[in-house]
Amino acid sequence: MAELSSSSYFPQDFLCEHARSKHRVLARLSHDRGPDQLQAVLTCGSPLLAQRIARLLTTIAEEGLGTGTTARATALAADLPDAPAASLRKVVEHLQSGVWPTPETTSVSWEEVFARDPADHEEENDEHTMPQARLSDLTAPVVRVVQLREFYVHDKERLHRAARARGFEPAPETERPNHDPEDLVGAVMHLADPLDPVPGAGTIAEESSAKWLRVDHGDEVIDWSSQTIKETFHSGARLRRGPDPVHTRETQWGTLPDFAQLFPLPDGGCDCNKVDCPDCESWTLTPRTADILYSALSMMADEAYDDVKNGDRPVTGKDDAWMFFDTLPRVTWQMPVQWRRLMARACDDLAGDLAAGREPRPRCRAEEVALFLALESEAQVHLEMTQDREDADHEALPEHRDDYTWDFCLDILFEDHDVMLLFDPRFDGVEDPGSELNRIQAMGDMRPQSWFENFGSQDPRDLDRGFRR
């Protein structure tokens, strides 16, 4: 697809406008002189046909014209009367050539936009921008989002209204930092997400983190910081990534946790390597088991963060739109996007335990579900992948009779196995603490809204840890 010149109009996407008797397809045009504009490109009599045309044109604008999109465009044109069919073919030609005709409507320059609203212009130069201020000089919160962006939140009410208008749902109170009662960090991160596609480019990775900057934690805004701002998202190995471990090793996949050091095998005892040997010591989490489990949890987190891009869209079952959330119990399929981001972080938290040399003992219901999924299916998949590709780095780890004993992990790492009932449709409703079986078994509240409440028997996670993406 040819490149558009910098002064051209170019279509970001295509939308529909429906009336009683006609349905228009509109191009949302961006340009360097001012705000986006809408331009009608064709009108047809079928709302369904208009929607299909808009989706196809958006795909062509983002990805170019290929064999599949050419065939779809030809088929859609055949379903249209002569005039709109000709308009469709003309739009496809513009997209293919990379040259979009100048709209007949008059565009508004950015200078005119700013001049039109004196209040906005005044705000650019008032104390809210604080261009020379240090963190200790500011009286309102500062939130840092990395890709590096920092936001001085001078009007929290306005920010929350905007975030909620775009679908933001605050995290459960138990998951907010003590100094963040309104989930301010979550709201800023929601608004700071880059939602629009980049013309001529497809997204292959998208990661970010967020934190509330605090003087008492030694933080400083970037312009006054004496330290280089660093953020590590991943090592470059698709199958394995997570927080920086205490011990690392260099592998063909990059710098990864050194599980031989993190989970040393016990000295002495019988070395017959038989699971049922009475002379052998008790079960241990071995380096090879930790390596596979870390890979599985890291991949689950990746897939969950990728699914977050579906927003609040309900899960309806197995389809190509989902990689992780369609594997969760059906009771979670209607949960909002912020809940899903918290679930992704739960997978990361467990992987982080392993990377730090700790047994991944769940601290909340969400972590129980994540670890159960990892042990029941994902770990075995990753073990088979490792064996298929003859992973020399994994094979270099010491062997032990307890390698890959997933059932022992289930027995020892969990306080109970109540979450298993959530995956069985025969027990639908058991998550409600008022249900009969729940009361009899004293399971407690297993509804998704409560999944991130910390178990009283476990230390809580750091509420300031933020999100990897």
Side-chain angles (χ1 to χ4, degrees):
M1 185 172 175
E3 266 190 36
L4 294 163
S5 69
S6 61
S7 60
S8 299
Y9 291 80
F10 63 90
Q12 287 276 18
D13 53 18
F14 290 81
L15 313 169
C16 287
E17 179 185 65
H18 300 294
R20 184 179 298 274
S21 59
K22 63 180 181 179
H23 310 274
R24 296 200 304 172
V25 177
L26 309 168
R28 181 167 69 93
L29 304 177
S30 292
H31 55 98
D32 56 5
R33 294 195 60 238
D36 292 354
Q37 294 178 238
L38 291 177
Q39 180 184 16
V41 295
L42 67 85
T43 302
C44 66
S46 166
L48 180 59
L49 201 54
Q51 293 284 4
R52 292 170 59 195
I53 292 169
R55 285 198 297 269
L56 172 64
L57 294 177
T58 297
T59 299
I60 296 174
E62 294 177 0
E63 303 175 7
L65 189 64
T67 304
T69 48
T70 299
R72 288 165 57 195
T74 301
L76 287 173
D79 291 337
L80 292 169
D82 291 344
S87 297
L88 174 59
R89 287 190 287 268
K90 183 63 68 176
V91 173
V92 173
E93 288 176 10
H94 293 324
L95 293 173
Q96 186 178 20
S97 67
V99 178
W100 193 268
T102 302
E104 296 179 1
T105 55
T106 303
S107 62
V108 180
S109 69
W110 287 115
E111 290 78 9
E112 292 173 292
V113 171
F114 292 131
R116 179 178 297 179
D117 192 339
D120 285 349
H121 184 74
E122 178 184 348
E123 184 173 317
E124 286 187 0
N125 298 291
D126 69 11
E127 71 279 3
H128 293 161
T129 58
M130 305 296 286
Q132 305 299 322
R134 303 190 64 154
L135 184 60
S136 58
D137 298 328
L138 301 174
T139 56
V142 176
V143 172
R144 173 181 294 156
V145 175
V146 180
Q147 333 148 9
L148 188 60
R149 306 169 75 186
E150 294 170 352
F151 300 86
Y152 179 56
V153 184
H154 57 80
D155 190 336
K156 290 193 291 185
E157 290 186 8
R158 179 178 175 186
L159 182 136
H160 276 288
R161 285 198 302 270
R164 289 181 182 278
R166 297 190 193 178
F168 170 70
E169 290 289 341
E173 291 185 10
T174 55
E175 276 297 308
R176 304 175 195 171
N178 294 333
H179 53 278
D180 192 6
E182 299 169 318
D183 196 13
L184 182 66
V185 170
V188 171
M189 198 169 185
H190 186 85
L191 291 173
D193 275 348
L195 300 178
D196 289 336
V198 177
T203 301
I204 60 173
E206 184 176 323
E207 301 185 13
S208 60
S209 68
K211 66 177 293 188
W212 187 320
L213 299 188
R214 300 189 65 192
V215 175
D216 57 345
H217 289 183
D219 297 326
E220 182 55 276
V221 293
I222 183 65
D223 285 344
W224 288 96
S225 178
S226 60
Q227 302 293 324
T228 302
I229 305 300
K230 296 180 180 180
E231 186 73 23
T232 301
F233 292 114
H234 61 84
S235 64
R238 174 66 176 168
L239 290 181
R240 313 175 195 179
R241 68 194 194 203
D244 289 339
V246 177
H247 299 285
T248 61
R249 59 193 171 112
E250 294 301 322
T251 74
Q252 60 181 320
W253 311 103
T255 302
L256 297 175
D258 186 351
F259 290 111
Q261 296 292 324
L262 292 165
F263 294 95
L265 295 175
D267 294 328
C270 178
D271 60 357
C272 73
N273 217 33
K274 294 180 180 179
V275 174
D276 57 353
C277 175
D279 297 325
C280 287
E281 297 185 10
S282 60
W283 178 87
T284 185
L285 180 60
T286 70
R288 290 192 174 204
T289 300
D291 185 45
I292 294 298
L293 191 53
Y294 173 78
S295 295
L297 288 164
S298 296
M299 177 60 85
M300 289 165 59
D302 284 339
E303 292 175 341
Y305 277 117
D306 287 342
D307 279 354
V308 165
K309 296 177 183 178
N310 288 324
D312 293 326
R313 170 185 169 182
V315 178
T316 55
K318 297 283 185 180
D319 65 54
D320 293 340
W322 303 98
M323 292 184 289
F324 175 76
F325 286 103
D326 59 349
T327 67
L328 297 187
R330 290 184 301 176
V331 69
T332 69
W333 287 5
Q334 303 290 326
M335 298 307 292
V337 65
Q338 184 65 5
W339 186 94
R340 291 168 178 167
R341 183 177 277 118
L342 291 169
M343 191 68 209
R345 187 172 65 179
C347 298
D348 262 344
D349 286 338
L350 291 167
D353 286 340
L354 290 163
R358 298 188 297 268
E359 290 184 347
R361 294 185 179 273
R363 306 191 194 188
C364 63
R365 196 77 66 184
E367 292 182 19
E368 280 191 329
V369 171
L371 188 58
F372 174 74
L373 281 173
L375 294 171
E376 280 290 289
S377 59
E378 293 301 317
Q380 185 59 41
V381 170
H382 281 262
L383 176 58
E384 292 172 2
M385 292 170 59
T386 298
Q387 293 170 338
D388 288 344
R389 67 172 180 254
E390 298 180 352
D391 188 335
D393 295 306
H394 179 76
E395 291 301 318
L397 295 171
E399 291 186 77
H400 191 269
R401 67 181 179 88
D402 287 337
D403 289 341
Y404 322 129
T405 50
W406 311 122
D407 288 344
F408 277 87
C409 291
L410 278 170
D411 288 340
I412 293 171
L413 298 177
F414 285 72
E415 295 182 2
D416 58 58
H417 299 117
D418 293 341
V419 295
M420 296 173 63
L421 299 179
L422 297 175
F423 290 87
D424 191 334
R426 294 175 301 173
F427 297 100
D428 282 354
V430 72
E431 69 278 359
D432 190 331
S435 68
E436 182 177 3
L437 179 58
N438 189 303
R439 291 199 310 272
I440 293 173
Q441 298 294 332
M443 297 176 182
D445 192 349
M446 295 197 297
R447 291 172 295 185
Q449 297 89 333
S450 70
W451 278 19
F452 304 100
E453 295 176 4
N454 196 75
F455 293 150
S457 59
Q458 299 287 336
D459 292 333
R461 302 277 183 193
D462 179 7
L463 293 176
D464 288 324
R465 66 195 184 280
F467 296 85
R468 174 159 61 87
R469 291 166 61 180

